[in-house]
Amino acid sequence: MPEVAAPFEAEIVRDLPDDLLGLIGQVVVGYTRVEHGLLSLTSLLLQLNKAESRIVLLRQMPAHERLDMVLDLFAIKGIELKTDAERLRDDLAKATSGRNNVAHGIWLRHPASGQLYLRLTRSDWPKDMTLGNKIKRTVFPQSIEYGVDDCRKTLALIDRALVGVDALGAEIDSALSEYPGRFRPPAPLVSRLGVRKKVLGGDA
């Protein structure tokens, strides 16, 4: 079982080193690109126009769960994938966790060593650190050492996920060409403002 450091009182850090801040920005922007790519895949498979896509699909959902939706849509259209979907899903799950950690975590500094820590309050502690017991981080937060190298690992996962998402996009392009009958044409955007009109009397 991994060694758990003794509890210590730490100050909340508001000013992070510039190199770490730059990497955090790349993680957040990169993950947004992944989410947009997955949204576009779903839109293409359903042949939604952009407005329909934003209305129907812009819901909070982890990237790996959105991938599951994409894979289901491929499956019902009878399209076999060459992309390693299992690896992509694993990358997306880890990238989502890494992105959430830096985007929502509280930064702390060890009073003696000056080491930066990231306080996590989402999901549960790893069971190999809790003798198999379920300990919620919302109840008992976990603080982990975190630095530039950790952020680079998350960024590498996001970059690899982007390659996988792009590969799925290429497979959709191929399927659209090979099996056009399995896709309905996108509906035209009639009302660009989306104004809801009320019928005031008369025949509707």
Side-chain angles (χ1 to χ4, degrees):
M1 184 176 73
E3 183 179 349
V4 180
F8 59 88
E9 290 293 330
E11 63 174 315
I12 295 178
V13 176
R14 293 177 174 81
D15 296 318
L16 296 173
D18 289 344
D19 54 351
L20 183 56
L21 278 175
L23 285 167
I24 291 171
Q26 291 181 56
V27 165
V28 172
V29 172
Y31 187 80
T32 301
R33 287 180 59 201
V34 169
E35 289 185 309
H36 181 265
L38 290 168
L39 179 70
S40 298
L41 291 178
T42 312
S43 299
L44 284 169
L45 285 164
L46 293 175
Q47 290 293 276
L48 301 175
N49 63 43
K50 291 182 179 179
E52 289 172 332
S53 176
R54 288 190 294 269
I55 292 170
V56 174
L57 301 175
L58 281 185
R59 301 287 185 270
Q60 291 297 324
M61 180 185 295
H64 56 284
E65 292 183 12
R66 196 174 290 280
L67 173 65
D68 290 340
M69 181 191 302
V70 170
L71 297 178
D72 286 341
L73 290 171
F74 269 112
I76 64 175
K77 291 183 181 297
I79 300 169
E80 294 185 11
L81 297 176
K82 299 175 182 177
T83 303
D84 188 342
E86 288 300 318
R87 178 182 178 182
L88 177 55
R89 191 183 194 284
D90 185 61
D91 287 344
L92 288 171
K94 292 175 180 176
T96 298
S97 177
R99 179 264 182 191
N100 287 343
N101 287 346
V102 298
H104 302 294
I106 298 295
W107 294 89
L108 307 170
R109 191 184 301 281
H110 195 286
S113 67
Q115 170 67 43
L116 285 173
Y117 282 75
L118 193 55
R119 192 186 73 174
L120 310 179
T121 56
R122 293 180 173 219
S123 67
D124 303 323
W125 278 65
K127 288 192 175 180
D128 62 342
M129 300 181 70
T130 64
L131 297 177
N133 296 312
K134 183 175 182 178
I135 298 179
K136 294 182 178 181
R137 288 177 176 149
T138 50
V139 178
F140 190 79
Q142 179 187 6
S143 296
I144 59 172
E145 291 188 33
Y146 199 96
V148 167
D149 288 342
D150 301 288
C151 209
R152 285 186 177 134
K153 289 177 183 176
T154 298
L155 188 57
L157 280 170
I158 289 173
D159 288 341
R160 196 163 72 191
L162 278 168
V163 172
V165 170
D166 287 343
L168 286 178
E171 295 212 47
I172 291 179
D173 290 341
S174 177
L176 283 166
S177 175
E178 189 172 356
Y179 311 111
R182 300 183 190 181
F183 297 85
R184 59 177 177 270
L189 185 61
V190 177
S191 173
R192 295 190 177 277
L193 297 179
V195 177
R196 299 183 184 183
K197 297 181 180 179
K198 294 181 179 179
V199 179
L200 301 179
D203 295 333

